[in-house]
Amino acid sequence: MQVFLPKNTSAGQMSKSVTVHGILLAYTVIALFPILIVIMNAFKDRKGIFRDPLALPTSETFSLVGFEQVLLRSDFGLFAWNSLLVTVLAVGLVILLGAMAAWALTEYRFRMNLLITFLFAMGIMIPIRLGTVSILRLMVDLNLVNTLTSLVLVYIAQGLPLAVYILSEFVRTIPKELVEAARCDAVSEYRIFFSIILPLLKPAMATVAVFTMIPIWNDLWFPLILAPSEETRTITLGVQQFVGQYVTNWTSVLAALTMAIVPVLILYTIFSRQLIRGLTSGAVK
Amino acid sequence: MMFSKRTKEHKPFPWHLWGFLGPGLLIYLTFSVYPLLDTLILSLYEEQAGQSEFVGLKNFITLVTDENWSSAFWNALSNNLQFFAFHMLLQNPIGLLLAVLLSSPKLRLASSYRTLIFMPTMLSVVIIGFVWQLILSPIWGISEEFLYSIGLGQYFDAWLGKEGSALVTLSFISVWQFVGIPMMLIYATLLNIPDDIIDASTVDGASPMQTFFHIKLPLILPTIAMVSILTFVANFNAFELIYAVKGALAGPNFSTDLLGTFFYRTFFGFQLQQGSSTMGAAVATLMFLIILVGVMLFLFFIQRRIQRFQF
């Protein structure tokens, strides 16, 4: 390639790459600045927060009093546990049930196939939130209001359409011979799925996990409506109510926000490679 | 040939397929399809003293014409349109620009930029809303100090508190948070363009600009269309940001009210107004129709036209 390019490009390329880095760096600062400001100030005392909000905490201004207040005044641990439980259960079941459904819809021919595929496809675009009025009535009838079960059920219904779509695409790439060989050996359909297909779906499952997990962990709407009680509150709802209530107490508000941000940032930094691979390979085909 | 065909016909019905499909389908039908359909039907009823009565389109007529309802509804709809327009004009072009820069050949640190810029997108809208509320708060003075330091101090104001600027400010916050999505999706498409095509155009003497507009842009148009429809659905369904920053009343004076917050208030009530599940269902039905029409327009016009450009 180099041979075809004019000689003077190296200088031009230099200045071009400086511009590119300049813009990207500037945008990175814009993206991170607000988050860093909040985390930084959460570790300062009240005076430090207001006197010089842009300064890092020093030995003089460093203080954990905000965190103390939050931990004493609310059940942050419980809220985080609720969120974790709901997210893990819902994501796990979305993946399992989604993989089973995707397998059934792609492998077997039957009458309702097209209709069911279409129903799932609709769910990708139409937000389940619009059915809230009836979901709440249903949960009241089933006696599930203020239980984590209600959230798990709704999140499974919310996550399945995309899961079925992504996993179906993936099931289609599995060579037919593999399954046919097993069938010739009279292996049952269930064993074919669980011991041959399911392990092969792992990469696609990671993608589904990423797409399903984030909206569930961050959701406010359904916890607010279906499970607002103290015992079933998720972390997003807990933070929303805590910060709304103590909005004038800056040290604890900043600490509460930091406690909600930092775990996600740590997880994101650990899994960002997989997450971005999922985003860049799974979504766009 | 004959033999194999016959065995296929006589194969017993594959009952195990319901073993695979059943559980997922049951949950999906019960908690998504049925509630959506039930909501659509419920919007045709009126509830009085525990009795529900079929009233046809009355709820919808009330929503768009009754003076107690219509101004709030049209206000929420027009705010929502502005909110969406803002994302289309700002979020998606910025996302496109960042994606193009990120995909520059041999760019160092590309993965670090990508990871860091995507970070806000990962966080809950509720948290992001509060973070910005604190930063823009006139009490704390971070934004004031910052504007003075770059010589724009006279523009400092309580942007979130004023009727004229609150919606725009919230739109900015939302764009700031979600710019990572168009960036990432467009970036992925750009990476998937085969190098040969780009090399060929360079060899033919096309400038980088020409290569972009004549080769890359047509190839990423389907992704841009997809990003647009994702933005549309997300925007016409938005609720959390307004609720976190401005509460259910979407103040000041409903200037930040979107269909999502309007739906919430209609369903649960606020201050003196009682919540109504049938009126709530009517609002949800209108939101459903708006989203459905948007998605259909996308499928029938834009996507069909764009597919011609695909490989």
PDB file of all heavy atoms in Angstrom, chain A residues 21 27 30-31 49 119 123 127 129 134 139 189 218-220 268, chain B residues 16 20 28 31 38-39 108 113 115 122 127 140 176 179 237 240:
ATOM      1  N   HIS A  21      -6.705  12.511  18.103  1.00  0.00           N
ATOM      2  CA  HIS A  21      -6.507  12.288  19.526  1.00  0.00           C
ATOM      3  C   HIS A  21      -7.063  13.442  20.347  1.00  0.00           C
ATOM      4  O   HIS A  21      -7.652  13.220  21.412  1.00  0.00           O
ATOM      5  CB  HIS A  21      -5.020  12.109  19.843  1.00  0.00           C
ATOM      6  CG  HIS A  21      -4.550  10.698  19.602  1.00  0.00           C
ATOM      7  ND1 HIS A  21      -4.881   9.676  20.448  1.00  0.00           N
ATOM      8  CD2 HIS A  21      -3.826  10.157  18.600  1.00  0.00           C
ATOM      9  CE1 HIS A  21      -4.346   8.547  19.975  1.00  0.00           C
ATOM     10  NE2 HIS A  21      -3.711   8.810  18.853  1.00  0.00           N
ATOM     11  N   TYR A  27     -13.450  14.557  24.288  1.00  0.00           N
ATOM     12  CA  TYR A  27     -14.756  13.945  24.564  1.00  0.00           C
ATOM     13  C   TYR A  27     -14.687  12.992  25.750  1.00  0.00           C
ATOM     14  O   TYR A  27     -15.619  12.901  26.544  1.00  0.00           O
ATOM     15  CB  TYR A  27     -15.341  13.225  23.335  1.00  0.00           C
ATOM     16  CG  TYR A  27     -16.813  13.049  23.572  1.00  0.00           C
ATOM     17  CD1 TYR A  27     -17.704  14.054  23.233  1.00  0.00           C
ATOM     18  CD2 TYR A  27     -17.306  11.944  24.256  1.00  0.00           C
ATOM     19  CE1 TYR A  27     -19.040  13.954  23.550  1.00  0.00           C
ATOM     20  CE2 TYR A  27     -18.646  11.838  24.580  1.00  0.00           C
ATOM     21  CZ  TYR A  27     -19.495  12.844  24.218  1.00  0.00           C
ATOM     22  OH  TYR A  27     -20.826  12.759  24.554  1.00  0.00           O
ATOM     23  N   ILE A  30     -15.115  15.012  28.754  1.00  0.00           N
ATOM     24  CA  ILE A  30     -16.520  15.382  28.921  1.00  0.00           C
ATOM     25  C   ILE A  30     -17.321  14.199  29.471  1.00  0.00           C
ATOM     26  O   ILE A  30     -18.184  14.347  30.326  1.00  0.00           O
ATOM     27  CB  ILE A  30     -17.128  15.845  27.575  1.00  0.00           C
ATOM     28  CG1 ILE A  30     -16.443  17.127  27.111  1.00  0.00           C
ATOM     29  CG2 ILE A  30     -18.631  16.065  27.694  1.00  0.00           C
ATOM     30  CD1 ILE A  30     -16.889  17.593  25.744  1.00  0.00           C
ATOM     31  N   ALA A  31     -17.009  12.996  28.986  1.00  0.00           N
ATOM     32  CA  ALA A  31     -17.772  11.823  29.415  1.00  0.00           C
ATOM     33  C   ALA A  31     -17.505  11.470  30.874  1.00  0.00           C
ATOM     34  O   ALA A  31     -18.403  11.023  31.579  1.00  0.00           O
ATOM     35  CB  ALA A  31     -17.448  10.625  28.514  1.00  0.00           C
ATOM     36  N   ILE A  49     -16.289  20.008  50.221  1.00  0.00           N
ATOM     37  CA  ILE A  49     -17.162  19.893  49.050  1.00  0.00           C
ATOM     38  C   ILE A  49     -17.478  21.273  48.484  1.00  0.00           C
ATOM     39  O   ILE A  49     -17.469  21.477  47.278  1.00  0.00           O
ATOM     40  CB  ILE A  49     -18.469  19.158  49.425  1.00  0.00           C
ATOM     41  CG1 ILE A  49     -18.180  17.710  49.779  1.00  0.00           C
ATOM     42  CG2 ILE A  49     -19.475  19.229  48.281  1.00  0.00           C
ATOM     43  CD1 ILE A  49     -19.370  16.977  50.366  1.00  0.00           C
ATOM     44  N   LEU A 119     -44.362 -12.838  17.099  1.00  0.00           N
ATOM     45  CA  LEU A 119     -44.690 -12.296  18.423  1.00  0.00           C
ATOM     46  C   LEU A 119     -43.435 -11.883  19.177  1.00  0.00           C
ATOM     47  O   LEU A 119     -43.361 -10.804  19.752  1.00  0.00           O
ATOM     48  CB  LEU A 119     -45.436 -13.341  19.252  1.00  0.00           C
ATOM     49  CG  LEU A 119     -46.953 -13.378  19.164  1.00  0.00           C
ATOM     50  CD1 LEU A 119     -47.497 -14.414  20.130  1.00  0.00           C
ATOM     51  CD2 LEU A 119     -47.539 -12.008  19.472  1.00  0.00           C
ATOM     52  N   GLY A 123     -41.751  -7.954  20.273  1.00  0.00           N
ATOM     53  CA  GLY A 123     -41.305  -7.597  21.617  1.00  0.00           C
ATOM     54  C   GLY A 123     -39.976  -6.865  21.649  1.00  0.00           C
ATOM     55  O   GLY A 123     -39.657  -6.205  22.630  1.00  0.00           O
ATOM     56  N   PRO A 127     -42.008  -1.587  23.889  1.00  0.00           N
ATOM     57  CA  PRO A 127     -41.605  -1.666  25.288  1.00  0.00           C
ATOM     58  C   PRO A 127     -42.697  -2.294  26.155  1.00  0.00           C
ATOM     59  O   PRO A 127     -43.861  -1.915  26.066  1.00  0.00           O
ATOM     60  CB  PRO A 127     -41.408  -0.196  25.692  1.00  0.00           C
ATOM     61  CG  PRO A 127     -41.491   0.593  24.455  1.00  0.00           C
ATOM     62  CD  PRO A 127     -42.192  -0.214  23.426  1.00  0.00           C
ATOM     63  N   ARG A 129     -43.198  -1.868  29.113  1.00  0.00           N
ATOM     64  CA  ARG A 129     -43.681  -0.838  30.015  1.00  0.00           C
ATOM     65  C   ARG A 129     -45.085  -0.352  29.669  1.00  0.00           C
ATOM     66  O   ARG A 129     -45.847   0.051  30.535  1.00  0.00           O
ATOM     67  CB  ARG A 129     -42.703   0.328  29.890  1.00  0.00           C
ATOM     68  CG  ARG A 129     -42.750   1.327  30.953  1.00  0.00           C
ATOM     69  CD  ARG A 129     -41.668   2.320  30.737  1.00  0.00           C
ATOM     70  NE  ARG A 129     -40.411   1.879  31.300  1.00  0.00           N
ATOM     71  CZ  ARG A 129     -39.394   2.700  31.495  1.00  0.00           C
ATOM     72  NH1 ARG A 129     -39.475   3.959  31.144  1.00  0.00           N
ATOM     73  NH2 ARG A 129     -38.292   2.256  32.030  1.00  0.00           N
ATOM     74  N   SER A 134     -51.980  -3.257  33.066  1.00  0.00           N
ATOM     75  CA  SER A 134     -52.467  -4.631  33.198  1.00  0.00           C
ATOM     76  C   SER A 134     -51.494  -5.515  33.965  1.00  0.00           C
ATOM     77  O   SER A 134     -51.908  -6.446  34.652  1.00  0.00           O
ATOM     78  CB  SER A 134     -52.723  -5.231  31.824  1.00  0.00           C
ATOM     79  OG  SER A 134     -53.672  -4.448  31.148  1.00  0.00           O
ATOM     80  N   MET A 139     -50.480  -8.761  38.697  1.00  0.00           N
ATOM     81  CA  MET A 139     -49.655  -9.065  39.860  1.00  0.00           C
ATOM     82  C   MET A 139     -50.492  -8.982  41.140  1.00  0.00           C
ATOM     83  O   MET A 139     -50.265  -9.734  42.082  1.00  0.00           O
ATOM     84  CB  MET A 139     -48.467  -8.103  39.948  1.00  0.00           C
ATOM     85  CG  MET A 139     -47.437  -8.304  38.859  1.00  0.00           C
ATOM     86  SD  MET A 139     -46.723  -9.960  38.900  1.00  0.00           S
ATOM     87  CE  MET A 139     -45.652  -9.873  37.470  1.00  0.00           C
ATOM     88  N   GLU A 189     -34.026 -35.812  22.227  1.00  0.00           N
ATOM     89  CA  GLU A 189     -33.955 -34.405  21.815  1.00  0.00           C
ATOM     90  C   GLU A 189     -33.469 -33.516  22.960  1.00  0.00           C
ATOM     91  O   GLU A 189     -32.745 -32.559  22.760  1.00  0.00           O
ATOM     92  CB  GLU A 189     -35.336 -33.927  21.351  1.00  0.00           C
ATOM     93  CG  GLU A 189     -35.819 -34.565  20.061  1.00  0.00           C
ATOM     94  CD  GLU A 189     -34.982 -34.160  18.849  1.00  0.00           C
ATOM     95  OE1 GLU A 189     -34.665 -32.959  18.723  1.00  0.00           O
ATOM     96  OE2 GLU A 189     -34.645 -35.043  18.040  1.00  0.00           O
ATOM     97  N   ASN A 218     -30.479  -1.423  35.964  1.00  0.00           N
ATOM     98  CA  ASN A 218     -30.707   0.022  36.013  1.00  0.00           C
ATOM     99  C   ASN A 218     -32.182   0.423  36.045  1.00  0.00           C
ATOM    100  O   ASN A 218     -32.491   1.600  36.118  1.00  0.00           O
ATOM    101  CB  ASN A 218     -30.062   0.692  34.798  1.00  0.00           C
ATOM    102  CG  ASN A 218     -28.558   0.760  34.929  1.00  0.00           C
ATOM    103  OD1 ASN A 218     -28.025   0.687  36.023  1.00  0.00           O
ATOM    104  ND2 ASN A 218     -27.872   0.897  33.802  1.00  0.00           N
ATOM    105  N   ASP A 219     -33.096  -0.524  35.951  1.00  0.00           N
ATOM    106  CA  ASP A 219     -34.506  -0.164  35.814  1.00  0.00           C
ATOM    107  C   ASP A 219     -35.049   0.512  37.079  1.00  0.00           C
ATOM    108  O   ASP A 219     -34.751   0.117  38.195  1.00  0.00           O
ATOM    109  CB  ASP A 219     -35.339  -1.410  35.505  1.00  0.00           C
ATOM    110  CG  ASP A 219     -36.767  -1.047  35.133  1.00  0.00           C
ATOM    111  OD1 ASP A 219     -36.954  -0.026  34.441  1.00  0.00           O
ATOM    112  OD2 ASP A 219     -37.702  -1.756  35.541  1.00  0.00           O
ATOM    113  N   LEU A 220     -35.861   1.532  36.852  1.00  0.00           N
ATOM    114  CA  LEU A 220     -36.542   2.188  37.963  1.00  0.00           C
ATOM    115  C   LEU A 220     -38.040   1.913  37.922  1.00  0.00           C
ATOM    116  O   LEU A 220     -38.692   1.744  38.941  1.00  0.00           O
ATOM    117  CB  LEU A 220     -36.305   3.707  37.908  1.00  0.00           C
ATOM    118  CG  LEU A 220     -37.089   4.537  38.931  1.00  0.00           C
ATOM    119  CD1 LEU A 220     -36.565   4.312  40.328  1.00  0.00           C
ATOM    120  CD2 LEU A 220     -37.029   6.018  38.586  1.00  0.00           C
ATOM    121  N   TYR A 268     -17.704  -2.984  35.160  1.00  0.00           N
ATOM    122  CA  TYR A 268     -17.552  -2.592  33.763  1.00  0.00           C
ATOM    123  C   TYR A 268     -16.094  -2.665  33.332  1.00  0.00           C
ATOM    124  O   TYR A 268     -15.775  -3.145  32.241  1.00  0.00           O
ATOM    125  CB  TYR A 268     -18.105  -1.176  33.568  1.00  0.00           C
ATOM    126  CG  TYR A 268     -17.861  -0.604  32.196  1.00  0.00           C
ATOM    127  CD1 TYR A 268     -18.372  -1.226  31.062  1.00  0.00           C
ATOM    128  CD2 TYR A 268     -17.113   0.553  32.034  1.00  0.00           C
ATOM    129  CE1 TYR A 268     -18.159  -0.708  29.816  1.00  0.00           C
ATOM    130  CE2 TYR A 268     -16.890   1.088  30.784  1.00  0.00           C
ATOM    131  CZ  TYR A 268     -17.410   0.453  29.677  1.00  0.00           C
ATOM    132  OH  TYR A 268     -17.182   0.973  28.440  1.00  0.00           O
TER     133      TYR A 268
ATOM    134  N   HIS B  16     -41.769 -32.709  22.179  1.00  0.00           N
ATOM    135  CA  HIS B  16     -40.668 -32.091  22.934  1.00  0.00           C
ATOM    136  C   HIS B  16     -40.480 -30.630  22.551  1.00  0.00           C
ATOM    137  O   HIS B  16     -39.923 -29.860  23.290  1.00  0.00           O
ATOM    138  CB  HIS B  16     -39.381 -32.873  22.731  1.00  0.00           C
ATOM    139  CG  HIS B  16     -39.126 -33.204  21.306  1.00  0.00           C
ATOM    140  ND1 HIS B  16     -39.387 -34.457  20.766  1.00  0.00           N
ATOM    141  CD2 HIS B  16     -38.685 -32.447  20.298  1.00  0.00           C
ATOM    142  CE1 HIS B  16     -39.099 -34.439  19.486  1.00  0.00           C
ATOM    143  NE2 HIS B  16     -38.677 -33.237  19.176  1.00  0.00           N
ATOM    144  N   PHE B  20     -39.408 -27.408  24.978  1.00  0.00           N
ATOM    145  CA  PHE B  20     -38.412 -26.342  24.799  1.00  0.00           C
ATOM    146  C   PHE B  20     -39.056 -24.957  24.771  1.00  0.00           C
ATOM    147  O   PHE B  20     -38.586 -24.014  25.383  1.00  0.00           O
ATOM    148  CB  PHE B  20     -37.643 -26.548  23.488  1.00  0.00           C
ATOM    149  CG  PHE B  20     -36.690 -27.699  23.518  1.00  0.00           C
ATOM    150  CD1 PHE B  20     -36.825 -28.772  22.649  1.00  0.00           C
ATOM    151  CD2 PHE B  20     -35.634 -27.705  24.415  1.00  0.00           C
ATOM    152  CE1 PHE B  20     -35.944 -29.824  22.682  1.00  0.00           C
ATOM    153  CE2 PHE B  20     -34.745 -28.762  24.447  1.00  0.00           C
ATOM    154  CZ  PHE B  20     -34.905 -29.823  23.580  1.00  0.00           C
ATOM    155  N   TYR B  28     -43.652 -15.177  28.471  1.00  0.00           N
ATOM    156  CA  TYR B  28     -43.727 -14.035  27.553  1.00  0.00           C
ATOM    157  C   TYR B  28     -45.185 -13.658  27.262  1.00  0.00           C
ATOM    158  O   TYR B  28     -45.555 -12.486  27.284  1.00  0.00           O
ATOM    159  CB  TYR B  28     -42.982 -14.374  26.256  1.00  0.00           C
ATOM    160  CG  TYR B  28     -42.984 -13.271  25.243  1.00  0.00           C
ATOM    161  CD1 TYR B  28     -42.402 -12.038  25.546  1.00  0.00           C
ATOM    162  CD2 TYR B  28     -43.569 -13.428  23.994  1.00  0.00           C
ATOM    163  CE1 TYR B  28     -42.406 -11.013  24.623  1.00  0.00           C
ATOM    164  CE2 TYR B  28     -43.577 -12.411  23.071  1.00  0.00           C
ATOM    165  CZ  TYR B  28     -42.991 -11.203  23.390  1.00  0.00           C
ATOM    166  OH  TYR B  28     -43.000 -10.187  22.486  1.00  0.00           O
ATOM    167  N   PHE B  31     -46.839 -12.190  30.690  1.00  0.00           N
ATOM    168  CA  PHE B  31     -46.387 -10.932  31.269  1.00  0.00           C
ATOM    169  C   PHE B  31     -46.000  -9.870  30.249  1.00  0.00           C
ATOM    170  O   PHE B  31     -45.533  -8.814  30.604  1.00  0.00           O
ATOM    171  CB  PHE B  31     -45.227 -11.192  32.243  1.00  0.00           C
ATOM    172  CG  PHE B  31     -45.651 -12.016  33.412  1.00  0.00           C
ATOM    173  CD1 PHE B  31     -45.368 -13.368  33.469  1.00  0.00           C
ATOM    174  CD2 PHE B  31     -46.396 -11.450  34.449  1.00  0.00           C
ATOM    175  CE1 PHE B  31     -45.785 -14.149  34.537  1.00  0.00           C
ATOM    176  CE2 PHE B  31     -46.823 -12.214  35.516  1.00  0.00           C
ATOM    177  CZ  PHE B  31     -46.522 -13.569  35.560  1.00  0.00           C
ATOM    178  N   ASP B  38     -54.395  -6.480  26.847  1.00  0.00           N
ATOM    179  CA  ASP B  38     -55.366  -6.125  27.871  1.00  0.00           C
ATOM    180  C   ASP B  38     -55.401  -4.607  28.080  1.00  0.00           C
ATOM    181  O   ASP B  38     -56.466  -4.020  28.276  1.00  0.00           O
ATOM    182  CB  ASP B  38     -55.014  -6.847  29.176  1.00  0.00           C
ATOM    183  CG  ASP B  38     -56.097  -6.666  30.223  1.00  0.00           C
ATOM    184  OD1 ASP B  38     -57.263  -6.973  29.921  1.00  0.00           O
ATOM    185  OD2 ASP B  38     -55.779  -6.214  31.334  1.00  0.00           O
ATOM    186  N   THR B  39     -54.217  -3.977  28.024  1.00  0.00           N
ATOM    187  CA  THR B  39     -54.167  -2.521  28.177  1.00  0.00           C
ATOM    188  C   THR B  39     -54.907  -1.839  27.035  1.00  0.00           C
ATOM    189  O   THR B  39     -55.646  -0.876  27.248  1.00  0.00           O
ATOM    190  CB  THR B  39     -52.704  -2.045  28.217  1.00  0.00           C
ATOM    191  OG1 THR B  39     -52.044  -2.707  29.293  1.00  0.00           O
ATOM    192  CG2 THR B  39     -52.610  -0.547  28.410  1.00  0.00           C
ATOM    193  N   ARG B 108      -3.893   4.724  18.019  1.00  0.00           N
ATOM    194  CA  ARG B 108      -3.484   4.163  19.301  1.00  0.00           C
ATOM    195  C   ARG B 108      -4.534   4.463  20.359  1.00  0.00           C
ATOM    196  O   ARG B 108      -5.255   5.450  20.254  1.00  0.00           O
ATOM    197  CB  ARG B 108      -2.156   4.782  19.735  1.00  0.00           C
ATOM    198  CG  ARG B 108      -1.011   4.187  18.989  1.00  0.00           C
ATOM    199  CD  ARG B 108       0.263   4.718  19.550  1.00  0.00           C
ATOM    200  NE  ARG B 108       1.361   4.307  18.680  1.00  0.00           N
ATOM    201  CZ  ARG B 108       2.624   4.499  18.995  1.00  0.00           C
ATOM    202  NH1 ARG B 108       2.925   5.104  20.133  1.00  0.00           N
ATOM    203  NH2 ARG B 108       3.569   4.116  18.184  1.00  0.00           N
ATOM    204  N   TYR B 113     -10.233   4.762  24.632  1.00  0.00           N
ATOM    205  CA  TYR B 113     -11.233   5.802  24.368  1.00  0.00           C
ATOM    206  C   TYR B 113     -12.634   5.199  24.360  1.00  0.00           C
ATOM    207  O   TYR B 113     -13.561   5.713  24.983  1.00  0.00           O
ATOM    208  CB  TYR B 113     -10.985   6.458  23.005  1.00  0.00           C
ATOM    209  CG  TYR B 113      -9.797   7.383  22.957  1.00  0.00           C
ATOM    210  CD1 TYR B 113      -8.834   7.252  21.962  1.00  0.00           C
ATOM    211  CD2 TYR B 113      -9.640   8.416  23.878  1.00  0.00           C
ATOM    212  CE1 TYR B 113      -7.749   8.098  21.888  1.00  0.00           C
ATOM    213  CE2 TYR B 113      -8.559   9.272  23.820  1.00  0.00           C
ATOM    214  CZ  TYR B 113      -7.608   9.109  22.823  1.00  0.00           C
ATOM    215  OH  TYR B 113      -6.551   9.949  22.756  1.00  0.00           O
ATOM    216  N   THR B 115     -13.787   2.419  25.627  1.00  0.00           N
ATOM    217  CA  THR B 115     -14.239   1.969  26.940  1.00  0.00           C
ATOM    218  C   THR B 115     -14.668   3.143  27.811  1.00  0.00           C
ATOM    219  O   THR B 115     -15.712   3.103  28.454  1.00  0.00           O
ATOM    220  CB  THR B 115     -13.103   1.198  27.638  1.00  0.00           C
ATOM    221  OG1 THR B 115     -12.660   0.179  26.756  1.00  0.00           O
ATOM    222  CG2 THR B 115     -13.562   0.592  28.930  1.00  0.00           C
ATOM    223  N   MET B 122     -23.427   2.975  30.709  1.00  0.00           N
ATOM    224  CA  MET B 122     -23.642   1.811  31.559  1.00  0.00           C
ATOM    225  C   MET B 122     -24.425   2.132  32.828  1.00  0.00           C
ATOM    226  O   MET B 122     -25.021   1.256  33.428  1.00  0.00           O
ATOM    227  CB  MET B 122     -22.287   1.271  32.024  1.00  0.00           C
ATOM    228  CG  MET B 122     -21.464   0.656  30.977  1.00  0.00           C
ATOM    229  SD  MET B 122     -22.198  -0.883  30.568  1.00  0.00           S
ATOM    230  CE  MET B 122     -22.156  -1.672  32.187  1.00  0.00           C
ATOM    231  N   ILE B 127     -29.128   7.668  38.441  1.00  0.00           N
ATOM    232  CA  ILE B 127     -27.886   8.162  39.038  1.00  0.00           C
ATOM    233  C   ILE B 127     -27.336   9.329  38.228  1.00  0.00           C
ATOM    234  O   ILE B 127     -26.962  10.367  38.781  1.00  0.00           O
ATOM    235  CB  ILE B 127     -26.866   7.010  39.127  1.00  0.00           C
ATOM    236  CG1 ILE B 127     -27.377   5.978  40.133  1.00  0.00           C
ATOM    237  CG2 ILE B 127     -25.507   7.518  39.514  1.00  0.00           C
ATOM    238  CD1 ILE B 127     -26.689   4.652  40.054  1.00  0.00           C
ATOM    239  N   TRP B 140     -23.924  24.654  44.457  1.00  0.00           N
ATOM    240  CA  TRP B 140     -22.586  24.086  44.485  1.00  0.00           C
ATOM    241  C   TRP B 140     -21.600  24.943  43.697  1.00  0.00           C
ATOM    242  O   TRP B 140     -20.442  25.100  44.063  1.00  0.00           O
ATOM    243  CB  TRP B 140     -22.612  22.652  43.962  1.00  0.00           C
ATOM    244  CG  TRP B 140     -21.439  21.863  44.410  1.00  0.00           C
ATOM    245  CD1 TRP B 140     -20.487  22.237  45.322  1.00  0.00           C
ATOM    246  CD2 TRP B 140     -21.086  20.551  43.992  1.00  0.00           C
ATOM    247  NE1 TRP B 140     -19.580  21.235  45.502  1.00  0.00           N
ATOM    248  CE2 TRP B 140     -19.910  20.186  44.692  1.00  0.00           C
ATOM    249  CE3 TRP B 140     -21.627  19.627  43.095  1.00  0.00           C
ATOM    250  CZ2 TRP B 140     -19.279  18.953  44.529  1.00  0.00           C
ATOM    251  CZ3 TRP B 140     -21.006  18.406  42.932  1.00  0.00           C
ATOM    252  CH2 TRP B 140     -19.848  18.074  43.641  1.00  0.00           C
ATOM    253  N   TRP B 176     -25.684  13.255  26.414  1.00  0.00           N
ATOM    254  CA  TRP B 176     -24.363  12.998  26.993  1.00  0.00           C
ATOM    255  C   TRP B 176     -24.250  11.547  27.430  1.00  0.00           C
ATOM    256  O   TRP B 176     -23.266  10.875  27.185  1.00  0.00           O
ATOM    257  CB  TRP B 176     -24.140  13.947  28.174  1.00  0.00           C
ATOM    258  CG  TRP B 176     -22.929  13.626  28.989  1.00  0.00           C
ATOM    259  CD1 TRP B 176     -21.649  13.993  28.728  1.00  0.00           C
ATOM    260  CD2 TRP B 176     -22.887  12.847  30.188  1.00  0.00           C
ATOM    261  NE1 TRP B 176     -20.806  13.497  29.682  1.00  0.00           N
ATOM    262  CE2 TRP B 176     -21.540  12.793  30.597  1.00  0.00           C
ATOM    263  CE3 TRP B 176     -23.847  12.196  30.960  1.00  0.00           C
ATOM    264  CZ2 TRP B 176     -21.135  12.111  31.734  1.00  0.00           C
ATOM    265  CZ3 TRP B 176     -23.443  11.524  32.095  1.00  0.00           C
ATOM    266  CH2 TRP B 176     -22.099  11.484  32.468  1.00  0.00           C
ATOM    267  N   VAL B 179     -24.714   8.797  24.100  1.00  0.00           N
ATOM    268  CA  VAL B 179     -23.964   8.928  22.861  1.00  0.00           C
ATOM    269  C   VAL B 179     -23.144   7.663  22.583  1.00  0.00           C
ATOM    270  O   VAL B 179     -22.828   7.343  21.442  1.00  0.00           O
ATOM    271  CB  VAL B 179     -23.088  10.208  22.931  1.00  0.00           C
ATOM    272  CG1 VAL B 179     -21.736   9.923  23.511  1.00  0.00           C
ATOM    273  CG2 VAL B 179     -23.001  10.875  21.596  1.00  0.00           C
ATOM    274  N   ASN B 237     -40.431   6.547  25.283  1.00  0.00           N
ATOM    275  CA  ASN B 237     -40.695   5.621  26.355  1.00  0.00           C
ATOM    276  C   ASN B 237     -39.934   6.115  27.590  1.00  0.00           C
ATOM    277  O   ASN B 237     -39.946   5.500  28.630  1.00  0.00           O
ATOM    278  CB  ASN B 237     -40.162   4.272  25.830  1.00  0.00           C
ATOM    279  CG  ASN B 237     -40.363   3.141  26.742  1.00  0.00           C
ATOM    280  OD1 ASN B 237     -41.338   3.107  27.468  1.00  0.00           O
ATOM    281  ND2 ASN B 237     -39.446   2.198  26.708  1.00  0.00           N
ATOM    282  N   GLU B 240     -37.375   7.736  33.430  1.00  0.00           N
ATOM    283  CA  GLU B 240     -36.492   7.768  34.593  1.00  0.00           C
ATOM    284  C   GLU B 240     -35.787   9.108  34.804  1.00  0.00           C
ATOM    285  O   GLU B 240     -35.746   9.614  35.918  1.00  0.00           O
ATOM    286  CB  GLU B 240     -35.431   6.670  34.491  1.00  0.00           C
ATOM    287  CG  GLU B 240     -35.856   5.351  35.089  1.00  0.00           C
ATOM    288  CD  GLU B 240     -36.474   4.420  34.064  1.00  0.00           C
ATOM    289  OE1 GLU B 240     -36.790   4.897  32.945  1.00  0.00           O
ATOM    290  OE2 GLU B 240     -36.650   3.241  34.382  1.00  0.00           O
TER     291      GLU B 240
END
